[in-house]
Every structure is written in structure tokens, then in C-alpha cells.
Amino acid sequence: MDEELVGTTRATYDLIAAEYAAANREVPASVRESLDRFLTALVPDGVVADVGCGPGRDLAELRRGGARAFGFDLSLGMLRAGRHAGVVQAEMSRLPIRTASLDGLWCAAAFLHIPRRRGPSVMAEFARTTRPGGVLHLSVSEGEGQAAEPRSYGVVATRLFVHHDQGELMDLLPEVGFEVTSVHRSESHRRWLTIGAVRRPD
């Protein structure tokens, strides 16, 4: 069932990629604040993976901020819609990145598409690829449960959304090797929980 939901979500993003990119071109104020915090914590000229980058709005902002940023997304349609160089189609649980090679990992509104039972393995992959002292940005939909939700971008299409509470993530992140450094909340069409963390030495 999980694989079917992931496949449906990827197919939906392939289908709505152009419309999604157009609708999400502007950077919300809350995301701008998160970008500023992340870039301030990042080492100069740091290597960053934008995991779940979609059409690359945040990827472009990370590069403008001085990061050597690369994008990864499961939806080839979304990558093509952004037309950015340095992007790769990949699953979050199997990133084509060397161990401890990232100075930072940015995952905004993307972990929420990972089935809950696969969350720990994805977060362990984030820890594997991030060097000790490297920084993590994670923003998720705050709440409980998971569901396939319809959303119209010219067509009615379904995506999996998994909601998380702070306690769940505060338990999971230290288990895989991250120390939580900040927690922020914001609201748009849903409630957002944004966590900053640092990779601990093994």
C-alpha cells in the first residue's frame, strides 16, 4: 500500500509540475526566515542537498545565498519544470550522495510525503550523508495521521500527506544522530512545523 501511495504521489507531481511551479514561484516570508537561519548556520560555500526540491524555488535561493546546492526529487516532471542544472532524480531513502559529504541538508515540505513507517530510514539516510557539525532544515505538516488528499492544479489529483507532531520528531532526530537546535511554527493552508538540527559526531 505504501509503495502504491508513493507512486501515486510521484505521478501526481509529474502531472501538475508546470502548474505547481507557477503557483509556488514566490518565497513565503516564513520560508525566507528559514532560509536565512539555515544559511547563517551553514559554513561558507557549504555543500547542500535540497532533498525534495520540486521545481527548485528553494534550490535557487540557497545558491543565491552562497551555498553549493544540488537538488534531488523523485518526480522527474518537477525537476524538468524547474530547468535547473545540478538536479538528480532520487528517492529520499537512497540518496546518491557520499557518506558525511554534506555541510547541510534542506528538506522543506517533502518529508511529509514519506509513509510514516519509512520515516526512520529516510531520516537515517539524512544523517548518513551529513557530516558532523552539518545542519539540517526540516519542515513538515504539523498534526496527526496520514491521508491521500486531493488538490487541484488544473486537474484533481491525489498526493499522500503524512502529518507529524513535535514530540515524534524530537524522539526520532536524536536516535539517528541529530541534535535539535530550533523549533518554529507558521501557518498557510496548513500548519507547518520547522525544525533545525545539527549532526552530532558518531
Side-chain angles (χ1 to χ4, degrees):
M1 179 62 72
D2 283 353
E3 293 303 321
E4 181 180 344
L5 289 170
V6 170
T8 297
T9 301
R10 175 175 59 179
T12 292
Y13 274 119
D14 285 343
L15 181 65
I16 67 174
E19 293 80 5
Y20 181 96
N24 293 277
R25 186 175 292 114
E26 299 298 321
V27 180
S30 60
V31 177
R32 178 70 62 190
E33 292 169 2
S34 292
L35 283 162
D36 289 345
R37 286 193 299 269
F38 181 83
L39 290 166
T40 298
L42 190 69
V43 297
D45 200 31
V47 177
V48 172
D50 182 351
V51 179
C53 66
R57 182 198 68 192
D58 294 356
L59 176 66
E61 295 300 319
L62 290 164
R63 290 173 175 173
R64 289 189 191 100
R68 290 183 287 159
F70 302 88
F72 301 85
D73 202 282
L74 187 59
S75 167
L76 189 58
M78 293 286 271
L79 296 176
R80 288 174 172 166
R83 300 182 179 180
H84 291 284
V87 298
V88 176
Q89 185 181 27
E91 294 187 15
M92 287 190 197
S93 59
R94 293 194 294 272
L95 294 170
I97 301 172
R98 292 193 306 274
T99 297
S101 62
L102 297 176
D103 298 302
L105 192 149
W106 176 271
C107 185
F111 185 70
L112 52 73
H113 295 309
I114 298 298
R116 192 174 306 280
R117 70 177 184 84
R118 290 174 53 183
S121 64
V122 168
M123 202 58 65
E125 181 71 347
F126 289 1
R128 180 191 69 80
T129 56
T130 305
R131 68 166 180 80
V135 293
L136 170 70
H137 165 89
L138 180 71
S139 66
V140 299
S141 173
E142 186 172 23
E144 298 180 352
Q146 66 179 45
E149 299 180 10
R151 178 74 189 275
S152 178
Y153 283 92
V155 295
V156 176
T158 300
R159 292 172 291 167
L160 170 67
F161 284 89
V162 180
H163 311 288
H164 298 272
D165 65 39
Q166 181 177 337
E168 173 191 354
L169 295 175
M170 296 291 276
D171 289 340
L172 175 57
L173 286 163
E175 285 179 4
V176 299
F178 286 107
E179 178 181 349
V180 174
T181 56
S182 66
V183 178
H184 295 84
R185 287 177 168 84
S186 60
E187 290 194 26
S188 57
H189 59 290
R190 63 178 75 244
R191 290 178 296 150
W192 296 103
L193 174 65
T194 300
I195 293 178
V198 174
R199 180 70 166 93
R200 297 195 311 256
D202 289 327

